Each structure stands twice: as structure tokens, then as C-alpha cells.
Amino acid sequence: SFVEIGGKRIKLMPDPTPGRAMAWGGTLAIWGTAALAVGTCKVLGIKTMDDMKRVMNAQLSPLGDAIRDRMTPFKSYITEAPLDGSPKVNTKDSRFAKGVKDIFA
């Protein structure tokens, strides 16, 4: 790109090429990821790996518990024990499969 200063055209940047675009894109992506990680550590008060373990456990345990509590009913709906008493799961005997058969049969 050119700029005109005092009647003279001055080239500010070299011509854009796919290689340069890829290089700048990669550089900005790495810089942005590093800035996000450093900012997150500052906000959460993480200074050492021990701090990270403590903070992540405190932040993610409630989320994991909530996901487990929400998904457990779906799991029991799809993976019901087979009628013959065998220990392995047979999905054709699940309530989900029976419900689909009732709808489309």
C-alpha cells in the first residue's frame, strides 16, 4: 500500500502475498492465545502449577457435577440392561430403541 506525502508516493508495506498473510496470521494467533492465557491466570490468581490445580478443581468440579447430574437420566434411558440378564449392554433392548421402534413401526 502506498501513501502520498508531499506529492511523493511512498510504499509503506511490501505487497501482500499468501505466505506473508499466513505468517502474520500465525503470529497473531500465537500472540492472542498467549495473551488470553496470561490474562486468565492473572484474573484467577494462578501463579504456580499448584495454584492451577487448586483453581481448576474449584472452578470445574461444580460444572462436572452439573453435567453428570444432567446426563445420568439420558444414560439410563439409552443403556438399559438386557432382558436375558447378561452383563453387557444391548442397545436394541433400551427404552430409547423401543421408543424409536414405536414411533416408526
Side-chain angles (χ1 to χ4, degrees), residues 53-65:
K53 184 176 181 179
R54 177 187 49 78
V55 169
M56 289 297 113
N57 195 14
Q59 296 291 323
L60 297 178
S61 289
L63 177 64
D65 293 341

Side-chain angles (χ1 to χ4, degrees), residues 24-89:
W24 279 109
T27 302
L28 291 175
I30 291 169
W31 182 86
T33 303
L36 182 67
V38 168
T40 302
C41 287
K42 284 184 179 181
V43 167
L44 294 175
I46 298 171
K47 292 183 177 34
T48 65
M49 289 303 287
D50 293 332
D51 290 343
M52 169 130 43
K53 184 176 181 179
R54 177 187 49 78
V55 169
M56 289 297 113
N57 195 14
Q59 296 291 323
L60 297 178
S61 289
L63 177 64
D65 293 341
I67 291 171
R68 184 191 61 229
D69 294 342
R70 287 214 171 203
M71 293 311 228
T72 299
F74 294 116
K75 183 179 175 186
S76 66
Y77 183 64
I78 292 174
T79 58
E80 190 173 284
L83 297 175
D84 63 359
S86 65
K88 59 182 189 174
V89 175

